[in-house]
PDB file of all heavy atoms in Angstrom:
ATOM      1  N   LEU A 460      24.955  27.782  -3.853  1.00 95.00           N
ATOM      2  CA  LEU A 460      24.091  27.351  -4.957  1.00 95.00           C
ATOM      3  C   LEU A 460      23.057  28.423  -5.289  1.00 95.00           C
ATOM      4  O   LEU A 460      22.709  28.623  -6.459  1.00 95.00           O
ATOM      5  CB  LEU A 460      23.402  26.032  -4.602  1.00 95.00           C
ATOM      6  CG  LEU A 460      24.318  24.810  -4.505  1.00 95.00           C
ATOM      7  CD1 LEU A 460      23.545  23.594  -4.015  1.00 95.00           C
ATOM      8  CD2 LEU A 460      24.983  24.508  -5.846  1.00 95.00           C
ATOM      9  N   ALA A 461      22.563  29.125  -4.272  1.00 93.00           N
ATOM     10  CA  ALA A 461      21.617  30.215  -4.520  1.00 93.00           C
ATOM     11  C   ALA A 461      22.268  31.308  -5.363  1.00 93.00           C
ATOM     12  O   ALA A 461      21.634  31.889  -6.259  1.00 93.00           O
ATOM     13  CB  ALA A 461      21.113  30.786  -3.197  1.00 93.00           C
ATOM     14  N   ASP A 462      23.557  31.585  -5.102  1.00 91.00           N
ATOM     15  CA  ASP A 462      24.283  32.606  -5.869  1.00 91.00           C
ATOM     16  C   ASP A 462      24.464  32.195  -7.327  1.00 91.00           C
ATOM     17  O   ASP A 462      24.460  33.040  -8.223  1.00 91.00           O
ATOM     18  CB  ASP A 462      25.656  32.857  -5.243  1.00 91.00           C
ATOM     19  CG  ASP A 462      25.562  33.487  -3.856  1.00 91.00           C
ATOM     20  OD1 ASP A 462      24.483  34.025  -3.535  1.00 91.00           O
ATOM     21  OD2 ASP A 462      26.549  33.399  -3.099  1.00 91.00           O
ATOM     22  N   ARG A 463      24.638  30.874  -7.562  1.00 92.00           N
ATOM     23  CA  ARG A 463      24.959  30.395  -8.914  1.00 92.00           C
ATOM     24  C   ARG A 463      23.743  29.906  -9.690  1.00 92.00           C
ATOM     25  O   ARG A 463      23.850  29.593 -10.871  1.00 92.00           O
ATOM     26  CB  ARG A 463      26.027  29.301  -8.822  1.00 92.00           C
ATOM     27  CG  ARG A 463      27.391  29.924  -8.563  1.00 92.00           C
ATOM     28  CD  ARG A 463      28.362  29.001  -7.861  1.00 92.00           C
ATOM     29  NE  ARG A 463      29.611  29.718  -7.593  1.00 92.00           N
ATOM     30  CZ  ARG A 463      29.773  30.562  -6.572  1.00 92.00           C
ATOM     31  NH1 ARG A 463      28.784  30.799  -5.737  1.00 92.00           N
ATOM     32  NH2 ARG A 463      30.931  31.175  -6.413  1.00 92.00           N
ATOM     33  N   PHE A 464      22.604  29.790  -9.018  1.00 92.00           N
ATOM     34  CA  PHE A 464      21.353  29.451  -9.702  1.00 92.00           C
ATOM     35  C   PHE A 464      20.336  30.543  -9.397  1.00 92.00           C
ATOM     36  O   PHE A 464      19.318  30.309  -8.759  1.00 92.00           O
ATOM     37  CB  PHE A 464      20.849  28.080  -9.237  1.00 92.00           C
ATOM     38  CG  PHE A 464      21.686  26.926  -9.709  1.00 92.00           C
ATOM     39  CD1 PHE A 464      22.765  26.479  -8.954  1.00 92.00           C
ATOM     40  CD2 PHE A 464      21.414  26.289 -10.917  1.00 92.00           C
ATOM     41  CE1 PHE A 464      23.546  25.423  -9.382  1.00 92.00           C
ATOM     42  CE2 PHE A 464      22.189  25.226 -11.356  1.00 92.00           C
ATOM     43  CZ  PHE A 464      23.266  24.789 -10.587  1.00 92.00           C
ATOM     44  N   ASP A 465      20.648  31.716  -9.869  1.00 86.00           N
ATOM     45  CA  ASP A 465      19.835  32.895  -9.564  1.00 86.00           C
ATOM     46  C   ASP A 465      18.398  32.693 -10.050  1.00 86.00           C
ATOM     47  O   ASP A 465      18.154  32.321 -11.202  1.00 86.00           O
ATOM     48  CB  ASP A 465      20.442  34.123 -10.250  1.00 86.00           C
ATOM     49  CG  ASP A 465      19.772  35.409  -9.794  1.00 86.00           C
ATOM     50  OD1 ASP A 465      19.322  35.448  -8.638  1.00 86.00           O
ATOM     51  OD2 ASP A 465      19.683  36.349 -10.598  1.00 86.00           O
ATOM     52  N   GLY A 466      17.462  32.912  -9.153  1.00 85.00           N
ATOM     53  CA  GLY A 466      16.061  32.783  -9.516  1.00 85.00           C
ATOM     54  C   GLY A 466      15.481  31.402  -9.306  1.00 85.00           C
ATOM     55  O   GLY A 466      14.260  31.225  -9.375  1.00 85.00           O
ATOM     56  N   MET A 467      16.330  30.403  -9.074  1.00 90.00           N
ATOM     57  CA  MET A 467      15.816  29.053  -8.853  1.00 90.00           C
ATOM     58  C   MET A 467      15.350  28.914  -7.410  1.00 90.00           C
ATOM     59  O   MET A 467      16.077  29.253  -6.476  1.00 90.00           O
ATOM     60  CB  MET A 467      16.897  28.003  -9.150  1.00 90.00           C
ATOM     61  CG  MET A 467      16.429  26.580  -8.870  1.00 90.00           C
ATOM     62  SD  MET A 467      17.627  25.335  -9.398  1.00 90.00           S
ATOM     63  CE  MET A 467      17.426  25.413 -11.176  1.00 90.00           C
ATOM     64  N   PRO A 468      14.140  28.412  -7.189  1.00 92.00           N
ATOM     65  CA  PRO A 468      13.661  28.225  -5.812  1.00 92.00           C
ATOM     66  C   PRO A 468      14.429  27.112  -5.109  1.00 92.00           C
ATOM     67  O   PRO A 468      14.442  25.971  -5.567  1.00 92.00           O
ATOM     68  CB  PRO A 468      12.188  27.865  -5.987  1.00 92.00           C
ATOM     69  CG  PRO A 468      12.054  27.385  -7.396  1.00 92.00           C
ATOM     70  CD  PRO A 468      13.122  28.068  -8.195  1.00 92.00           C
ATOM     71  N   ILE A 469      15.090  27.466  -4.007  1.00 94.00           N
ATOM     72  CA  ILE A 469      15.960  26.534  -3.287  1.00 94.00           C
ATOM     73  C   ILE A 469      15.457  26.359  -1.865  1.00 94.00           C
ATOM     74  O   ILE A 469      15.044  27.329  -1.213  1.00 94.00           O
ATOM     75  CB  ILE A 469      17.421  27.049  -3.273  1.00 94.00           C
ATOM     76  CG1 ILE A 469      17.975  27.096  -4.700  1.00 94.00           C
ATOM     77  CG2 ILE A 469      18.308  26.165  -2.401  1.00 94.00           C
ATOM     78  CD1 ILE A 469      19.391  27.634  -4.793  1.00 94.00           C
ATOM     79  N   GLY A 470      15.491  25.134  -1.381  1.00 94.00           N
ATOM     80  CA  GLY A 470      15.115  24.839  -0.007  1.00 94.00           C
ATOM     81  C   GLY A 470      16.146  23.955   0.660  1.00 94.00           C
ATOM     82  O   GLY A 470      17.024  23.391   0.000  1.00 94.00           O
ATOM     83  N   THR A 471      16.058  23.839   1.969  1.00 93.00           N
ATOM     84  CA  THR A 471      16.957  22.950   2.713  1.00 93.00           C
ATOM     85  C   THR A 471      16.129  22.127   3.692  1.00 93.00           C
ATOM     86  O   THR A 471      15.014  22.505   4.056  1.00 93.00           O
ATOM     87  CB  THR A 471      18.015  23.735   3.519  1.00 93.00           C
ATOM     88  OG1 THR A 471      17.381  24.366   4.643  1.00 93.00           O
ATOM     89  CG2 THR A 471      18.711  24.769   2.666  1.00 93.00           C
ATOM     90  N   PHE A 472      16.711  21.000   4.085  1.00 90.00           N
ATOM     91  CA  PHE A 472      16.077  20.218   5.139  1.00 90.00           C
ATOM     92  C   PHE A 472      17.154  19.505   5.938  1.00 90.00           C
ATOM     93  O   PHE A 472      18.010  18.827   5.364  1.00 90.00           O
ATOM     94  CB  PHE A 472      15.084  19.212   4.567  1.00 90.00           C
ATOM     95  CG  PHE A 472      14.134  18.718   5.606  1.00 90.00           C
ATOM     96  CD1 PHE A 472      13.218  19.564   6.190  1.00 90.00           C
ATOM     97  CD2 PHE A 472      14.173  17.412   6.038  1.00 90.00           C
ATOM     98  CE1 PHE A 472      12.344  19.134   7.175  1.00 90.00           C
ATOM     99  CE2 PHE A 472      13.303  16.967   7.017  1.00 90.00           C
ATOM    100  CZ  PHE A 472      12.389  17.827   7.588  1.00 90.00           C
ATOM    101  N   SER A 473      17.106  19.690   7.268  1.00 88.00           N
ATOM    102  CA  SER A 473      18.116  19.097   8.151  1.00 88.00           C
ATOM    103  C   SER A 473      17.454  18.764   9.476  1.00 88.00           C
ATOM    104  O   SER A 473      16.237  18.897   9.631  1.00 88.00           O
ATOM    105  CB  SER A 473      19.272  20.074   8.372  1.00 88.00           C
ATOM    106  OG  SER A 473      18.832  21.220   9.087  1.00 88.00           O
ATOM    107  N   GLY A 474      18.278  18.348  10.445  1.00 80.00           N
ATOM    108  CA  GLY A 474      17.745  18.028  11.758  1.00 80.00           C
ATOM    109  C   GLY A 474      17.080  19.206  12.443  1.00 80.00           C
ATOM    110  O   GLY A 474      16.255  19.034  13.341  1.00 80.00           O
TER     111      GLY A 474
END
Side-chain angles (χ1 to χ4, degrees):
L460 292 174
D462 294 342
R463 283 154 183 80
F464 290 89
D465 189 31
M467 177 173 287
I469 296 178
T471 72
F472 198 66
S473 66

